[in-house]
Amino acid sequence: MPAMTEPKLISGNANKPLALAIARRMSMHRGMNVAPVDARVERFNDQEIFVEVFDNVRGEDMYIIQPTSNPANDNLMELLIMTDALKRSSAARITAVIPYFGYARQDRRAKARTPISAKLVANMLTKAGVDRVLTLDLHATQIQGFFDIPVDNLYAAPVFALDIKHNFKGRMDDLMVVSPDVGGVARAREIAQRINVPMAIVDKRREKAGEIADMTVIGDVTGKTCIIVDDICDTAGTLVKAAQLLIDHGAAEVHAYITHGVLSGPAVERVSNSVMKSLVITDSIDQPDAVKNCANIRIVPTAPMFAQAIINTWNGTSVSSLFELDTLGPLYEGLYSGA
């Protein structure tokens, strides 16, 4: 009987490259060949989703790697149906590894007669049979409270801190971290403290969703290399306007570090034509060629962090240890050896 002898991975169609990268990193850690279990996740002609798992998963500790990015509804249904397939195949424990948690922006009722969709998604995952959730940079950390199962929320801040120290070596005195809005101050302060640089804030006022009426800079950015920090970049409208505002206020350069590159609609074109020197995103969402080929967009890997988090979850050791550079640094040594 297997009895959870090793963690086993299964991937939907949302981000197969990340699933394979996590498997490779786990193989390095475990000294054995870890690969996603053999399964098919496909659609009938009417777009119904069908899942069949070919390997035996009875008594196993299963990890489903599936961000719920665009198309969010299809990828969410894949995740739910894979969970049901594993549950009915007698898997001992099912962990949903959701690098990008879709619907996280609908975490409260900002107006009357609106849903709290993030809570609905949490209910659906729990009801389907998920025993634990592993995710990255939830848009609203209170979403963890929507679940009645354990939720481990990893952070991109330590990885971004390593990247910044590596790519801005010798220029750290000129850096300033910028929050693109008041709500993101805690996230920006986290990175500012990790790399020991000052912080500024772009204060924006919205008349309605998606439209900005007014923006202003709180703090002196004159002559500074500004690094905008946020968790989601969707259409990039706010990001591009914030970058231009910083330049107008005397900033020397503007770069951006965003965890989840949703990059929908005109986002890539806007970033390409903007004053930003670079936009750094993670691979939490599988990007199309237009993003990969964009000269000022760069993607940093999350596979080392997710692989170690899965191993720690499986063997019952601390996941929060990955929040510290001393623990995370060795996992990224090949990329940031000089950081």
Side-chain angles (χ1 to χ4, degrees):
M1 184 176 179
M4 302 202 306
T5 53
E6 292 287 343
K8 285 194 173 182
L9 309 182
I10 185 170
S11 174
N13 294 313
N15 198 340
K16 285 188 174 180
L18 177 58
L20 293 172
I22 292 172
R24 284 194 296 270
R25 292 293 305 195
M26 290 178 65
S27 298
M28 293 170 57
H29 289 306
R30 301 293 301 157
M32 61 177 293
N33 183 28
V34 176
V37 301
D38 190 14
R40 61 172 174 150
V41 183
E42 57 188 35
R43 283 160 176 73
F44 295 142
N45 290 334
D46 64 353
Q47 298 305 301
E48 274 189 21
I49 296 167
F50 176 72
V51 173
E52 184 177 7
V53 181
F54 297 112
D55 292 348
N56 178 29
V57 297
R58 185 179 297 275
E60 297 287 3
D61 191 5
M62 299 299 303
Y63 293 81
I64 308 173
I65 301 171
Q66 177 81 343
T68 51
S69 49
N70 185 34
N73 297 333
D74 285 2
N75 289 329
L76 176 59
M77 278 305 298
E78 278 192 12
L79 175 56
L80 294 170
I81 294 171
M82 283 190 290
T83 300
D84 189 70
L86 294 173
K87 183 179 179 182
R88 294 177 188 280
S89 302
S90 301
R93 184 173 69 171
I94 300 170
T95 300
V97 181
I98 312 174
Y100 171 70
F101 190 95
Y103 287 101
R105 286 175 282 184
Q106 299 185 49
D107 63 297
R108 65 195 184 282
R109 297 188 70 198
K111 298 178 181 178
R113 296 175 296 281
T114 57
I116 304 179
S117 302
K119 171 59 176 170
L120 174 62
V121 171
N123 290 344
M124 292 165 68
L125 290 169
T126 305
K127 187 66 175 178
V130 169
D131 297 300
R132 177 184 290 270
V133 171
L134 176 62
T135 188
L136 174 67
D137 268 355
L138 278 172
H139 181 67
T141 54
Q142 66 264 24
I143 291 174
Q144 296 173 82
F146 294 174
F147 290 89
D148 292 325
I149 56 175
V151 177
D152 291 310
N153 183 33
L154 302 178
Y155 298 99
V159 181
F160 284 164
L162 286 170
D163 193 273
I164 292 169
K165 288 180 178 180
H166 178 78
N167 287 285
F168 293 90
K169 184 179 293 186
R171 303 170 56 192
M172 297 298 291
D173 291 341
D174 298 327
L175 294 188
M176 175 172 276
V177 169
V178 179
S179 172
D181 52 43
V182 175
V185 167
R187 186 178 295 107
R189 184 184 294 118
E190 166 95 9
I191 290 185
Q193 290 176 339
R194 286 180 181 274
I195 61 177
N196 195 27
V197 300
M199 188 183 76
I201 302 169
V202 173
D203 183 32
K204 63 176 182 278
R205 179 173 57 86
R206 293 184 187 271
E207 294 292 346
K208 57 182 179 180
E211 293 187 12
I212 300 169
D214 186 45
M215 298 178 77
T216 186
V217 178
I218 302 173
D220 185 9
V221 299
T222 306
K224 293 290 187 179
T225 298
C226 292
I227 297 177
I228 300 174
V229 174
D230 208 354
D231 65 323
I232 296 175
C233 177
D234 192 345
T235 60
T238 301
L239 181 63
V240 167
K241 288 181 180 178
Q244 184 62 58
L245 185 69
L246 292 169
I247 292 294
D248 293 344
H249 278 69
E253 290 181 7
V254 178
H255 303 261
Y257 279 74
I258 312 291
T259 306
H260 306 296
V262 176
L263 301 177
S264 57
V268 176
E269 183 181 358
R270 284 175 174 172
V271 171
S272 298
N273 298 329
S274 74
V275 298
M276 282 189 298
K277 293 286 187 180
S278 68
L279 167 61
V280 180
I281 58 178
T282 74
D283 59 355
S284 63
I285 297 172
D286 189 22
Q287 299 295 346
D289 290 339
V291 173
K292 295 175 182 176
N293 296 331
C294 184
N296 56 345
I297 297 180
R298 184 162 55 85
I299 302 173
V300 298
T302 58
M305 178 169 55
F306 273 113
Q308 190 62 55
I310 289 171
I311 291 171
N312 289 8
T313 300
W314 168 71
N315 63 23
T317 56
S318 172
V319 171
S320 62
S321 62
L322 297 175
F323 304 162
E324 303 301 327
L325 288 181
D326 291 344
T327 306
L328 196 67
L331 302 178
Y332 282 84
E333 192 170 7
L335 282 173
Y336 308 122
S337 55

